[in-house]
Amino acid sequence: QVTDGGTPAPEASATPDAGAAVVPPELVQDSPAPYPEALQGSGHDGEVKLELLVGPDGAVQEVAVVSATDAAFTDSATGAARGLHFRPATVDGQPTAVRLSFSYLFRAEKQKPRAFLAGLVRRKGNRRPLIGATVEVEGAAPVQTDADGRFRMEVPPGGQRVRVSAPGHVASSFLETLEDGQSLEVRYGLEPLVANPYETVVEGSRETRTEVSRVSLRDAEIREVPGTLGDPFRVVMLLPGVASVGSGLSYPIVRGSQPAATGYFLDGVRVPMLFHTGIGPAVVHPDFIDGVDFFAGAPPTRYGRLMGGVVEGRISHPREDRLHASAYADFINAGGFVEAPIKETGTSITVAGRMSYTGLLIQTVVPLLVPENSPEPISEFWDYQARLEQKLGSAKLRLLAFGSSDLVGTRADKEQSFSTQLAQRFHRADLRLSSPLAGGEGELGFTWGTDQVGIFGQSFDKPAGEFTLNQGSLRTYGKW
């Protein structure tokens, strides 16, 4: 016969006397068992039943597991039990060891249900965002809208009354229903306290247009319009808002701006003029032009600082089926156009040019109209265009070269006569590589150019004066 602690009873009696004073142990120092990290978020509850041997000093000497719902709970409970401390049990005032049952209960932390409310607060009428508006929901901390009129807050799930207020506006309430874990996007409008009775807000869909003042001309529009003589660029002179410096002169005045405020381009390459001597044909062969874009007024920024307008000729695409050639002649000039594809190498070569023979006509007609010994008038011009295009897999390399020359004035043919001449000439070379890039097309280019304008005086065969202005240009660009 022994006590629960396994220690012989006082005076070696089999059992304590009925009159013996027995005081059970009392817990004086708790040792909580932490919820196992391995089970965090699982939501599992657990219980571990232990049998402890509490010594005469009140410390736990042995820990035995009676039952447990999970091994992870067992490790946490047995480890914590050794930190327990008791006031020892006594029998007739003497401390004694005892065995007792002890249980650890584990309760999983329940996640607090939550939902999120976000949105935009605007002023009714003009729909402007309201900055600093207060949004309140019972059971949640109030928030204020940011610089864009937006807010976001955590609210309890269920039906909620949302109160929105802002200085100078009528506070309003809105009913919203949110489920656990839901994020709801809303838009609220507040009525202003003071509204302009004469203010009207009209809403409508905006028409999508790439260029507001762009006119694109193609095919018959640039070749068969009466009065253009088949020259694509002359069509611009007939458009609304375009006037001329003088009758018959091809220097456009766009909406009253100076002629110098209008820019001329050929496939993105700027040129100083479009027509020979102001009244002659264009400086580019008509078969080289596929279309003409005209921007009346301030053009897009890619054309630079131009306020009058832009006239741009688009180069035609090379034909790949067979050889093409054309030629013409009139009373002023003659020209030709040749396009030759080389299918084996993916190469296309295009050459065009024109030259005037007005000098021959002048030598024949002028002597019949002007006094003898008068200076002989001259008017000469020529131009050329050449294109070499090479396919490089999916990419394409193109070299475009073109130029123009004009000479007008008089030529002295007697020793006593004096003549003056005005010459204008330019050349351009444009090399560009284009290739598919990220769902679009990328392009790199390099353009070289030179311009020359000169005034020459001559006394028969001797120079009498000269003023020449030469200008060079170099441009690199890339676009996607």
Side-chain angles (χ1 to χ4, degrees):
Q1 298 290 329
V2 295
T3 64
D4 288 341
T7 305
E11 299 179 354
S13 60
T15 58
D17 296 339
V22 179
V23 179
E26 180 183 352
L27 182 64
V28 295
Q29 180 179 322
D30 194 10
S31 179
Y35 192 89
E37 292 186 3
L39 299 179
Q40 291 287 348
S42 65
H44 296 326
D45 295 338
E47 182 180 4
V48 178
K49 293 182 179 181
L50 304 175
E51 185 180 85
L52 306 180
L53 174 59
V54 180
D57 58 353
V60 176
Q61 297 178 348
E62 295 179 9
V63 178
V65 179
V66 177
S67 64
T69 57
D70 193 285
F73 292 133
T74 301
D75 295 340
S76 179
T78 55
R82 298 187 182 280
L84 297 171
H85 198 80
F86 296 85
R87 184 178 289 112
T90 59
V91 178
D92 287 336
Q94 296 297 320
T96 183
V98 295
R99 291 186 184 275
L100 56 86
S101 297
F102 197 91
S103 296
Y104 275 100
L105 299 178
F106 294 88
R107 295 288 182 263
E109 182 180 357
K110 303 300 181 182
Q111 291 187 351
K112 180 183 177 182
R114 61 178 184 173
F116 295 94
L117 182 67
L120 175 66
V121 180
R122 298 184 296 191
R123 174 190 173 104
K124 286 186 177 181
N126 55 23
R127 306 176 70 183
R128 294 176 182 172
L130 290 179
I131 303 173
T134 302
V135 183
E136 300 174 277
V137 175
E138 186 177 354
V143 297
Q144 288 188 328
T145 56
D146 58 15
D148 297 324
R150 296 192 170 275
F151 71 93
R152 180 178 174 83
M153 62 189 307
E154 182 179 340
V155 299
Q160 300 293 345
R161 181 175 294 276
V162 184
R163 186 177 185 275
V164 184
S165 60
H169 295 77
V170 180
S172 301
S173 294
F174 307 89
L175 293 177
E176 305 291 353
T177 302
L178 298 94
E179 299 179 357
D180 185 15
Q182 180 186 5
S183 181
L184 181 63
E185 184 80 16
V186 296
R187 291 187 179 183
Y188 298 137
L190 296 185
E191 192 82 27
L193 291 175
V194 179
N196 185 355
Y198 301 104
E199 180 179 4
T200 302
V201 178
V202 180
E203 299 180 9
S205 59
R206 178 180 298 174
E207 182 180 357
T208 302
R209 297 183 62 183
T210 55
E211 305 292 349
V212 176
S213 56
R214 173 178 176 176
V215 178
S216 295
L217 305 172
R218 297 194 53 155
D219 302 330
E221 295 176 316
I222 61 174
R223 303 186 190 281
E224 300 178 8
V225 177
T228 62
L229 303 178
D231 200 323
F233 288 118
R234 288 189 180 274
V235 181
V236 176
M237 305 300 300
L238 305 178
L239 293 177
V242 180
S244 178
V245 174
S247 178
L249 296 180
S250 301
Y251 285 103
I253 299 177
V254 181
R255 294 185 178 179
S257 63
Q258 298 179 357
T262 299
Y264 312 121
F265 293 82
L266 184 63
D267 235 22
V269 180
R270 189 168 184 179
V271 295
M273 58 184 180
L274 287 181
F275 302 95
H276 288 291
T277 64
I279 58 175
V283 296
V284 182
H285 195 283
D287 289 346
F288 236 98
I289 302 299
D290 180 60
V292 175
D293 289 339
F294 174 58
F295 299 86
T301 55
R302 66 177 181 270
Y303 293 107
R305 299 177 178 179
L306 294 171
M307 300 303 295
V310 161
V311 179
E312 180 175 18
R314 297 193 301 272
I315 296 295
S316 60
H317 295 285
R319 290 172 287 189
E320 303 177 354
D321 52 352
R322 60 184 183 276
L323 176 69
H324 293 263
S326 65
Y328 77 94
D330 56 26
F331 290 105
I332 299 177
N333 66 103
F337 177 88
V338 178
E339 190 170 48
I342 305 176
K343 298 182 180 180
E344 293 77 8
T345 60
T347 308
S348 177
I349 302 174
T350 308
V351 179
R354 286 184 290 193
M355 178 177 290
S356 71
Y357 38 76
T358 52
L360 298 176
L361 296 177
I362 291 174
Q363 292 178 3
T364 303
V365 177
V366 170
L368 303 176
L369 302 177
V370 299
E372 188 178 356
N373 298 330
S374 297
E376 176 186 327
I378 59 174
S379 176
E380 302 173 354
F381 64 84
W382 51 260
D383 61 65
Y384 69 93
Q385 302 87 42
R387 174 179 63 193
L388 175 63
E389 192 166 295
Q390 178 66 52
K391 292 183 179 180
L392 304 174
S394 60
K396 182 175 62 177
L397 183 67
R398 191 196 76 177
L399 174 62
L400 174 66
F402 59 97
S404 170
S405 176
D406 290 270
L407 179 66
V408 295
T410 59
R411 180 184 293 115
D413 58 351
K414 301 294 182 181
E415 293 186 5
Q416 302 301 322
S417 61
F418 181 81
S419 64
T420 58
Q421 300 173 4
L422 171 64
Q424 185 171 3
R425 184 175 299 170
F426 75 86
H427 301 277
R428 295 290 186 272
D430 180 70
L431 178 66
R432 65 180 64 180
L433 175 66
S434 58
S435 174
L437 178 64
E441 185 178 59
E443 188 174 82
L444 294 175
F446 172 87
T447 304
W448 169 87
T450 179
D451 300 79
Q452 183 183 52
V453 178
I455 300 176
F456 307 91
Q458 187 176 14
S459 177
F460 189 41
D461 58 348
K462 297 180 181 180
E466 177 182 343
F467 175 79
T468 305
L469 175 64
N470 294 294
Q471 176 178 294
S473 62
L474 186 64
R475 181 178 71 117
T476 59
Y477 61 91
K479 66 180 181 178
W480 175 73

